[in-house]
Amino acid sequence: MDPFTVIAMLAIHLLGTAGLLFLVWRLMPAAPGLAAWWVASGLFGLAYLVRLVVGMEHGDGVGVAADSLMLLAVLRFGDGVREFTGRAAWKPAATFIAWALAVSLEAAATVAFGAQGRYTVLNLAIGGLYAHLAWTIAVEVGRQPRPLRAPLRLLALLMGGLSALTLVRAHSLFADGMAVAFHGPLAKVYYMYASTNAVVVGLTLLWLLFLRLNGQLADLAARDPLTGVLNRQGLDERVRRHFERPNAAPLTVMLLDIDHFKQVNDTHGHATGDAVLMAVARTLVSHLRTGDFVARVGGEEFLIGCAEGAHPDDAMVLARRLNEAVGQLQVAAPGNAVPVVCTVSVGVSGRVASRADWEAGTRQADRALYQAKADGRNAVRPAVVSHAA
């Protein structure tokens, strides 16, 4: 297959991928990385079209301008990867400096050595950027949720392969001149790989987006929409996952109830009541330790799973800390200059060593909570564990 046809196919693949990603972006404008990805694919496809129009081996200003689009495309693709994975994005000034430096070096090489200098510098720059992308993605594999790891590994492999071929091509151009740019075995392998890579990368990005969206939907289904903590469904799943781990640590169940919450709603309105619930939930989450979790299990009732600590009374220490922290809250009430304060009653279970004991532990915490309320509320009470429990 002649070089013109292969590069035309590559341009079509890139523009087709850009169009597909653009359509998905229109439906999911907030999807992380998607806007950068469709722009990057479109810029790359446009650059190849310009090459086909002006002639692939010319080293004039139009060719350098087309190459600058390629460099910008790789930088934008990297921005999308960093946005998707949650890494800190490059500052616009840093991106511009990297782009301007590469374009300036290529322009200088074009003036000094013509098309050979232009393509050598371009391939060195793009190959280096691909290598950095492959490394960035590989580092992120272990930091991302398990379902995302397989497509990220594939993406890192694709970028790594493209980097290696591009750098080999740069060396070949430097050593052998423009004769190997579009003719010979290396040129055929390079452009066939790049054309196939454009299709596979586009599908891999859609795979990543689907998995991320699916995870977000699952997370939404597992969380209380008002407070953002686990709901009952999410709680069941969290407990199941905890006890399925090898050598799972025992848990302590805490049931926490906002005192006189109905009075808050009746006096200040449901909007203020919602604000109180959200403030209490934020306070609980901010004070939990690694391995602990919190769920809303009733109108004003929260359940906390407390991972076993180094000392037997860690759960009671945490319960008292939560009781004190909530008691210090001051929640603004619309139309009322005086903020709303609230207290909580907390019941703490005994040690729950397995999933089979979870319901028994919850009943223990419930009885302890009832005792805290009977003792005047704003109190923490441990369960009285008996063999009958």
Side-chain angles (χ1 to χ4, degrees):
M1 189 177 293
D2 66 282
F4 183 92
T5 302
V6 175
I7 294 175
M9 287 177 56
L10 177 55
I12 292 170
H13 288 165
L14 287 164
L15 291 173
T17 298
L20 180 59
L21 294 175
F22 173 77
L23 291 175
V24 177
W25 174 75
R26 288 291 300 272
L27 297 173
M28 302 167 54
L34 188 52
W37 287 336
W38 78 256
V39 169
S41 187
L43 288 173
F44 237 127
L46 180 61
Y48 276 117
L49 283 182
V50 172
R51 275 192 182 183
L52 292 173
V53 171
V54 303
M56 293 179 291
E57 299 187 27
H58 290 295
D60 57 14
V62 177
V64 173
D67 296 346
S68 72
L69 292 180
M70 290 187 177
L71 291 164
L72 183 59
V74 180
L75 290 168
R76 286 298 293 146
F77 188 85
D79 289 339
V81 168
R82 283 184 286 274
E83 183 182 351
F84 182 86
T85 57
R87 288 177 70 93
W90 282 9
K91 294 182 180 180
T95 300
F96 175 78
I97 290 171
W99 174 80
L101 179 60
V103 172
S104 299
L105 289 173
E106 186 187 348
T110 301
V111 172
F113 304 105
Q116 181 182 4
R118 168 192 161 196
Y119 276 99
T120 300
V121 172
L122 174 66
N123 281 270
L124 280 173
I126 289 183
L129 289 173
Y130 281 145
H132 178 71
L133 259 175
W135 175 83
T136 299
I137 298 167
V139 167
E140 282 300 321
V141 168
R143 300 176 181 173
Q144 297 299 312
R146 189 174 299 276
L148 296 179
R149 294 177 185 176
L152 283 173
R153 287 192 186 99
L154 176 58
L155 193 60
L157 183 63
L158 292 169
M159 292 296 106
L162 199 54
S163 170
L165 277 175
T166 306
L167 292 174
V168 168
R169 189 165 183 258
H171 177 269
S172 182
L173 283 162
F174 177 77
D176 303 321
M178 287 299 293
V180 299
F182 304 103
H183 305 280
L186 179 59
K188 289 180 180 179
V189 170
Y190 178 81
Y191 280 109
M192 289 301 295
Y193 180 87
S195 185
T196 304
N197 194 74
V199 176
V200 179
V201 166
L203 294 174
T204 304
L205 297 180
L206 291 175
W207 183 13
L208 284 166
L209 289 168
F210 171 78
L211 291 174
R212 172 63 59 83
L213 178 61
N214 191 55
Q216 289 173 343
L217 291 174
D219 190 58
L220 286 173
R223 296 203 171 265
D224 174 56
L226 177 64
T227 61
V229 300
L230 297 172
N231 56 22
R232 286 188 177 274
Q233 177 180 328
L235 173 63
D236 291 343
E237 176 65 16
R238 182 68 175 76
V239 172
R240 181 188 66 79
R241 290 204 316 268
H242 176 87
F243 285 116
E244 283 181 350
R245 296 172 185 165
N247 303 315
L251 294 172
T252 299
V253 184
M254 298 181 195
L255 280 175
L256 181 149
D257 189 87
I258 301 175
D259 298 326
H260 305 296
F261 184 72
K262 184 177 183 300
Q263 185 177 342
V264 173
N265 278 332
D266 292 344
T267 304
H268 302 287
H270 288 280
T272 300
D274 288 348
V276 168
L277 287 168
M278 290 187 286
V280 169
R282 286 194 299 269
T283 301
L284 299 180
V285 170
S286 68
H287 282 77
L288 296 188
R289 310 160 307 165
T290 301
D292 297 343
F293 51 90
V294 58
R296 185 183 175 195
V297 294
E300 66 271 20
E301 190 170 272
F302 295 86
L303 181 148
I304 296 167
C306 178
E308 185 177 67
H311 302 287
D313 60 347
D314 277 353
M316 286 297 295
V317 171
L318 176 61
R320 294 189 182 100
R321 188 183 305 132
L322 294 175
N323 170 267
E324 181 181 352
V326 172
Q328 294 174 353
L329 287 175
Q330 295 189 357
V331 182
N336 191 343
V338 180
V340 174
V341 295
C342 60
T343 60
V344 290
S345 301
V346 188
V348 183
S349 78
R351 192 170 179 262
V352 178
S354 68
R355 189 180 178 191
D357 298 330
W358 179 257
E359 291 300 326
T362 303
R363 289 193 295 271
Q364 291 174 8
D366 189 56
R367 289 194 293 269
L369 174 61
Y370 180 83
Q371 187 61 51
K373 291 181 178 181
D375 290 345
R377 294 183 169 82
N378 190 21
V380 176
R381 295 291 181 267
V384 178
V385 182
S386 66
H387 295 292

